[in-house]
Amino acid sequence: MTVKVSHTSEIQNLFNEAAGLNNDQGSPRVKQIMLRLINDAAKLIEDLEITDDEFWHAVDYLNRLGGRNEAGLLVPGLGLEHFLDILQDAKDAQIGLSGGTPRTIEGPLYVAGAPVCEGEARMDDGTELDQATVMFLEGVVRDTDGQPVAGAVVDLWHANTQGNYSYFDQSQSAYNLRRRIVTDSEGRYRARSIVPSGYGCSPDGPTQECLNLLGRHGQRPAHIHFFISAPGHRHLTTQINLDGEQYLWDDFAYATRDGLVGDIQFIEDAAAARDRGVEGSRFATLQFNFQLQQAPAPAAEQRSGRPRALQGA
Ligand code: FE
């Protein structure tokens, strides 16, 4: 017979006190959330008969998760970041907001303040040209009526051939593979970059440690992240996941969605490569168009207030 005490007045009084309900300082919202969190944790401990060893291993795990800066990696791995997207989709549907390119998770690796380029950008610093495939990425940003959106900011970032991101990988130059491209008068953006590699969680990190206990891999297909914004339009956070990738529909972070698969084409053509200024004969092209919803309110033009690297930049 399971012993339960969390419902008793003694414990409820303790939790109310711990959550700050007996004082008028602090934040009422945080108190409300914390009380629920403490109560749910206590219920979980009782219902699943969590042992002391399990409890203190979990506490130690949280310390190590934070120490490795991986909390933002674990939440997509547990499906919670994708859940937020599905929840927002459902809220949108309830008020009749629909259309446009689907949203998908941001992930933890955005860095604010990337260089701004008009219409087109060279994104890579050239250091991987001996092993990378040059990629030409282009498309048009439109509204849901199909009209091009000039002056939209296409803020994109992706990994290198090792699956690493600049800033977090200090061996790369600043803002390598990160740019903000402002669409031209016809809503077009163009980038020359390199084909990114898929990547996985650090094999020795706490996120992978958890995934191992769940019997899961921590791999992602190659992908390109986007923030797209324009006055009067709703901010879009999304990704293009590259077709043909092993983990396209088996992404540990659950970011791949219908409508977000990029049809990348690999081309072997020495003359065409030369015309594009590429050494050798191999390069890739990727066309991807975006559609932005109208902003229902000015605040919807902005990305979320999630803390990000170099936020003030
Ligand atoms: Fe990523």
Side-chain angles (χ1 to χ4, degrees):
M1 176 89 183
T2 310
V3 179
K4 297 192 177 184
V5 296
S6 69
H7 63 282
T8 62
S9 58
E10 180 189 359
I11 295 300
Q12 285 300 304
N13 288 339
L14 170 69
F15 289 169
N16 285 344
E17 160 61 28
L21 266 59
N22 298 342
N23 73 68
D24 56 7
Q25 308 296 303
S27 157
R29 177 65 172 162
V30 173
K31 292 178 184 189
Q32 176 192 29
I33 295 167
M34 192 57 77
L35 181 63
R36 172 64 181 266
L37 194 62
I38 296 168
N39 267 301
D40 284 0
K43 274 185 134 16
L44 188 153
I45 289 166
E46 288 179 335
D47 291 350
L48 300 188
E49 300 187 71
I50 301 296
T51 66
D52 279 6
D53 279 2
E54 287 172 331
F55 182 81
W56 292 112
H57 272 99
V59 171
D60 177 63
Y61 180 81
L62 289 178
N63 276 335
R64 291 184 293 107
L65 187 70
R68 288 284 291 259
N69 209 17
E70 284 197 0
L73 194 60
L74 183 67
V75 285
L78 296 182
L80 286 169
E81 196 169 356
H82 182 56
F83 160 76
L84 293 180
D85 286 334
I86 301 300
L87 181 62
Q88 190 60 54
D89 289 351
K91 288 178 180 174
D92 287 358
Q94 194 176 45
I95 58 171
L97 265 180
S98 65
T101 303
R103 61 169 58 85
T104 197
I105 69 164
E106 173 182 334
L109 301 173
Y110 179 76
V111 177
V116 177
C117 307
E118 296 294 329
E120 59 186 316
R122 168 80 187 255
M123 295 182 64
D124 66 299
D125 63 9
T127 54
E128 288 192 297
L129 282 183
D130 53 339
Q131 55 204 309
T133 301
V134 173
M135 174 179 71
F136 295 95
L137 169 65
E138 62 176 22
V140 180
V141 178
R142 297 188 176 91
D143 64 20
T144 45
D145 294 328
Q147 295 302 307
V149 180
V153 177
V154 177
D155 191 344
L156 70 163
W157 67 104
H158 67 78
N160 68 2
T161 65
Q162 306 303 305
N164 295 325
Y165 286 81
S166 63
Y167 181 86
F168 301 96
D169 169 15
Q170 290 284 328
S171 75
Q172 295 183 46
S173 61
Y175 291 112
N176 188 37
L177 311 176
R178 301 176 184 276
R179 288 294 183 277
R180 284 179 284 179
I181 306 172
V182 181
T183 57
D184 67 15
S185 59
E186 293 163 74
R188 291 179 307 189
Y189 74 95
R190 282 184 294 178
R192 176 186 157 153
S193 194
I194 56 173
V195 177
S197 174
Y199 56 85
C201 302
S202 289
D204 66 345
T207 301
Q208 189 59 57
E209 175 187 333
C210 174
L211 294 172
N212 288 344
L213 291 168
L214 303 179
R216 292 178 46 202
H217 69 73
Q219 302 295 315
R220 297 216 54 204
H223 59 275
I224 304 164
H225 295 268
F226 289 87
F227 282 160
I228 302 181
S229 58
H233 296 85
R234 199 172 186 199
H235 174 91
L236 175 67
T237 299
T238 196
Q239 298 181 21
I240 305 175
N241 289 270
L242 302 187
D243 203 3
E245 286 278 313
Q246 178 184 356
Y247 294 102
L248 183 64
W249 294 107
D250 186 22
D251 175 4
F252 99 94
Y254 307 105
T256 309
R257 303 188 71 177
D258 286 331
L260 297 178
V261 176
D263 181 23
I264 191 163
Q265 301 288 327
F266 290 92
I267 294 162
E268 293 278 356
D269 184 331
R274 194 166 48 244
D275 287 348
R276 288 179 178 261
V278 176
E279 276 193 43
S281 60
R282 181 177 165 83
F283 61 95
T285 60
L286 176 53
Q287 277 212 336
F288 203 92
N289 301 325
F290 296 93
Q291 278 197 314
L292 298 181
Q293 289 178 2
Q294 224 179 4
E301 296 173 19
Q302 309 297 324
R303 63 188 185 225
S304 78
R306 173 179 181 157
R308 300 176 177 90
L310 303 183
Q311 187 62 47

